[in-house]
Amino acid sequence: MTEKIRLVLVDDHPMFRAGVYKSLGDLGFEIVGEGGSASDAVSLATTHCPEAVLLDISMPGNGLSAVQTILANAPATKVIILTASEDGDDVRAAMQSGACGYVLKGIGSRDLASVVRTVVLGGSYVPPNLSARLISERKPHPAAMQAHDGLSAREREVMDLIAFGMSNKLVARKLGLHEKTVKHHATRIFAKLSVSNRTEAALRWRR
């Protein structure tokens, strides 16, 4: 990606926001708008139509409540939650609302930049420790299993991890498989789900 990625940054802690602004600015990103509330996030996203919005949860108006409105007003914009919350319900709510990334505030600036680029290019991200926890807590619903009867048990395992933002390499490590094997499974899964990429597959799987 040769052009600068344009971002909106919304967090109600000015000092934290200033630090992220400087860090990402120094790494070549363009911050086109800043705010401190859910309504700011919607307004800035609608006005600027950035490639991505970095959005906290704990702020006036609740950041999660803004996700669907942002996507309705600026469909090409990717929403990345940047928060201190490790609560599983927050992660699920964010991803089900349409966010493509969920990042914890302890992340380093270069790792955050990498996540933003990954999401803007069509990927998704959830920290591996949160992904593993959510998957371990997940109880299969009979209707969900029936909806995906075309997938084998192994393919369901792979798709669970993909849906929470894991790369093929991380999926392989988690399941004790070769990365090429995971890639083969992913290709078959996408064909069975009638999708063309990981993001579409993850959104369908979460639904």
Side-chain angles (χ1 to χ4, degrees):
M1 181 168 281
T2 56
E3 296 182 0
K4 279 190 175 182
I5 294 175
R6 300 165 63 255
L7 303 176
V8 160
L9 174 59
V10 187
D11 190 290
D12 65 336
H13 292 88
M15 289 185 65
F16 175 79
R17 200 168 69 227
V20 176
Y21 187 110
K22 184 178 188 310
S23 296
L24 292 182
D26 289 346
L27 291 171
F29 294 85
E30 181 183 358
I31 312 299
V32 297
E34 294 180 79
S37 68
S39 60
D40 288 343
V42 172
S43 176
L44 290 166
T46 304
T47 300
H48 297 287
C49 294
E51 278 74 44
V53 173
L54 293 177
L55 179 65
D56 193 10
I57 290 175
S58 301
M59 63 167 66
N62 188 320
L64 287 178
S65 70
V67 176
Q68 291 185 338
T69 307
I70 289 171
L71 297 177
N73 293 349
T77 295
K78 309 291 186 180
V79 177
I80 301 169
I81 302 298
L82 179 58
T83 182
S85 174
E86 298 185 36
D87 188 280
D89 289 339
D90 285 339
V91 182
R92 292 187 190 93
M95 305 308 278
Q96 288 170 359
S97 294
C100 292
Y102 194 98
V103 185
L104 298 177
K105 284 187 173 180
I107 193 171
S109 57
R110 292 190 178 278
D111 287 337
L112 176 58
S114 177
V115 170
V116 173
R117 292 190 182 99
T118 296
V119 168
V120 168
L121 289 171
S124 60
Y125 178 83
V126 174
N129 61 320
L130 293 186
S131 297
R133 187 193 309 168
L134 289 172
I135 291 164
S136 68
E137 294 171 354
R138 179 174 175 176
K139 295 180 180 179
H141 189 285
M145 295 295 283
Q146 187 175 14
H148 298 295
D149 272 347
L151 271 61
S152 68
R154 175 61 86 184
E155 287 168 347
R156 291 190 186 106
E157 289 180 322
V158 170
M159 191 59 236
D160 274 337
L161 298 175
I162 288 175
F164 282 110
M166 288 195 183
S167 66
N168 287 345
K169 186 175 183 179
L170 286 174
V171 174
R173 189 181 304 165
K174 177 73 176 175
L175 298 179
L177 302 172
H178 291 294
E179 189 173 350
K180 287 184 178 179
T181 302
V182 173
K183 186 175 181 181
H184 175 71
H185 281 310
T187 300
R188 289 177 56 84
I189 290 167
F190 297 167
K192 290 180 178 182
L193 296 181
S194 299
V195 298
S196 58
N197 57 55
R198 299 170 75 87
T199 301
E200 289 179 8
L203 289 172
R204 169 171 281 192
W205 193 253
R206 290 178 196 126
R207 286 198 297 268

